[in-house]
Amino acid sequence: MESQRNISEFILLGLSYNQNTQIFCFVFFLFCYVSILAGNLLILVSIRCSDLFYQPMYYFLSHLSFMDICYTSCVTPKLIGDLLLARKTISYDNCMLQVFSLHFLGMIEIFILTVMAFDRYAAICRPLHYLLIMNRTRCHLLVLAAWAGGAIHSFSQFSMIILLPFCGPNEINHYYCDIFPLLKVACTDIYITGVLVVANSGMVALVTFVLLFGSYIVILFSLRNHSAEGRHKALSTCGSHITVVILFFGPSIFAYLRPPTTFPEDKIFALFYTIIAPMFNPLIYTLRNTEMKKAMRRVWCQRIFSEEKHN
């Protein structure tokens, strides 16, 4: 690849040039990252250490929390560190690794959200066959399929970007390496690559979003035949999931389902699916979920009690 590029690093322009704004962003995003780690680890440990782990919905939720931690960790620690630096750089190799990791983990998260919607459809619309449909083997296979789908998507995106020649300039108007900002600094015609990126990322996000919303419309129609208590429980669970889907897919569709160019708003929208959504996911899934709150109290109260007894 050395013959196709004469740069060894990229300069990230970041979120702002204003020093006071950067200090505020440093404090804010440090708080966000600690909240993401604490909230998602709390859900992950609570599910793994309770009987909820054997229920399909919470099994998938534990994987979603793990993906949130991994996904945001590809971007947020470097963003926080760069806010303290006057010159923000990233090596070519690390930039390519960041592109691959973000698309790999992001697509796994998209597929897990899709699987969670299918799980809710099976639970609400096919309650008598639910345990047969969502048996443990099928749950494992669905998660494995999500990882395989993420690998296929990320390798296809990575193969297009790694072949691009970069001759200079090397300034990326973003706070991390993403495909469209990289296409802008590539010294070749990027029309075909841009179309392929939109077809791969943008259309996948849009089609998945439409399928998810379609499944929830079917679920809402089927709730007419349920009791008031059943409707309340189903709406509480589905409402949380729909909120997460909108937070993640809305900005993602804006970012990738368009001609291959960059806008100043891109960095703001990217914050939603790289930091804001992973931070709010634990709150969304726990505040309105009685089973989750009970499991958290049971697991952590037992741990505190056992530690006090041991001391």
Side-chain angles (χ1 to χ4, degrees):
M1 295 306 302
E2 285 294 330
S3 59
Q4 296 189 17
R5 62 182 174 89
N6 57 10
I7 60 173
S8 60
E9 66 178 17
F10 293 102
I11 298 172
L12 301 172
L13 298 184
L15 291 170
S16 173
Y17 295 108
N18 185 281
Q19 189 173 4
N20 291 329
T21 303
Q22 290 192 55
I23 293 171
F24 170 78
C25 288
F26 170 80
V27 175
F28 177 70
F29 291 127
L30 181 61
F31 168 78
C32 289
Y33 188 55
V34 171
S35 300
I36 290 167
L37 294 180
N40 284 289
L41 282 172
L42 183 64
I43 287 181
L44 195 58
V45 174
S46 297
I47 292 175
R48 294 284 173 141
C49 297
S50 70
D51 294 336
L52 292 182
F53 183 66
Y54 301 100
Q55 298 183 32
M57 185 180 80
Y58 297 101
Y59 172 75
F60 296 131
L61 179 57
S62 68
H63 282 278
L64 182 68
S65 293
F66 178 67
M67 283 300 111
D68 277 337
I69 292 171
C70 296
Y71 182 70
T72 194
S73 294
C74 293
V75 174
T76 313
K78 176 160 179 58
L79 168 62
I80 293 168
D82 283 347
L83 287 167
L84 300 176
L85 302 175
R87 189 170 184 269
K88 307 163 179 57
T89 62
I90 185 170
S91 69
Y92 175 85
D93 292 337
N94 286 340
C95 182
M96 295 299 109
L97 178 62
Q98 195 174 58
V99 170
F100 175 82
S101 301
L102 282 171
H103 281 268
F104 176 57
L105 297 168
M107 191 54 63
I108 292 174
E109 187 155 348
I110 284 174
F111 286 136
I112 288 177
L113 286 170
T114 307
V115 168
M116 291 175 74
F118 175 71
D119 171 72
R120 289 300 84 204
Y121 168 80
I124 295 169
C125 300
R126 298 288 185 271
L128 298 178
H129 302 93
Y130 176 65
L131 293 178
L132 182 63
I133 295 170
M134 301 303 295
N135 59 65
R136 201 60 174 175
T137 302
R138 184 160 290 152
C139 290
H140 290 320
L141 288 175
L142 287 170
V143 170
L144 184 63
W147 280 75
I152 292 169
H153 167 77
S154 56
F155 273 113
S156 61
Q157 298 286 68
F158 181 72
S159 62
M160 289 187 286
I161 294 300
I162 200 75
L163 294 174
L164 290 175
F166 296 98
C167 317
N170 64 338
E171 289 187 345
I172 298 176
N173 188 20
H174 217 303
Y175 62 89
Y176 70 93
C177 283
D178 201 8
I179 292 179
F180 282 170
L182 284 170
L183 290 178
K184 192 173 182 180
V185 298
C187 50
T188 186
D189 182 15
I190 51 91
Y191 176 77
I192 294 176
T193 305
V195 171
L196 291 174
V197 168
V198 171
N200 194 341
S201 293
M203 288 307 297
V204 167
L206 179 63
V207 170
T208 308
F209 182 73
V210 170
L211 288 174
L212 285 171
F213 249 83
S215 69
Y216 282 110
I217 290 172
V218 173
I219 289 171
L220 290 174
F221 270 106
S222 70
L223 288 176
R224 293 177 301 174
N225 303 321
H226 287 64
S227 64
E229 185 182 350
R231 280 198 299 269
H232 176 74
K233 186 177 180 181
L235 286 172
S236 178
T237 305
C238 293
S240 301
H241 194 77
I242 291 170
T243 305
V244 170
V245 166
I246 292 173
L247 271 176
F248 188 84
F249 278 90
S252 299
I253 291 171
F254 173 83
Y256 294 106
L257 192 65
R258 65 170 200 229
T261 185
T262 57
F263 297 106
E265 297 83 7
D266 286 350
K267 290 182 275 191
I268 304 301
F269 278 95
L271 289 172
F272 276 90
Y273 55 82
T274 56
I275 299 176
I276 304 300
M279 182 177 68
F280 279 107
N281 281 0
L283 290 174
I284 292 168
Y285 278 114
T286 55
L287 287 179
R288 298 179 63 187
N289 192 314
T290 306
E291 285 185 318
M292 191 71 230
K293 286 188 282 190
K294 285 180 179 177
M296 290 168 67
R297 281 195 295 266
R298 189 163 54 247
V299 168
W300 295 102
C301 287
Q302 283 179 356
R303 285 179 175 245
I304 294 170
F305 178 75
S306 61
E307 286 180 4
E308 289 179 351
K309 189 176 180 181
H310 180 73
N311 293 332

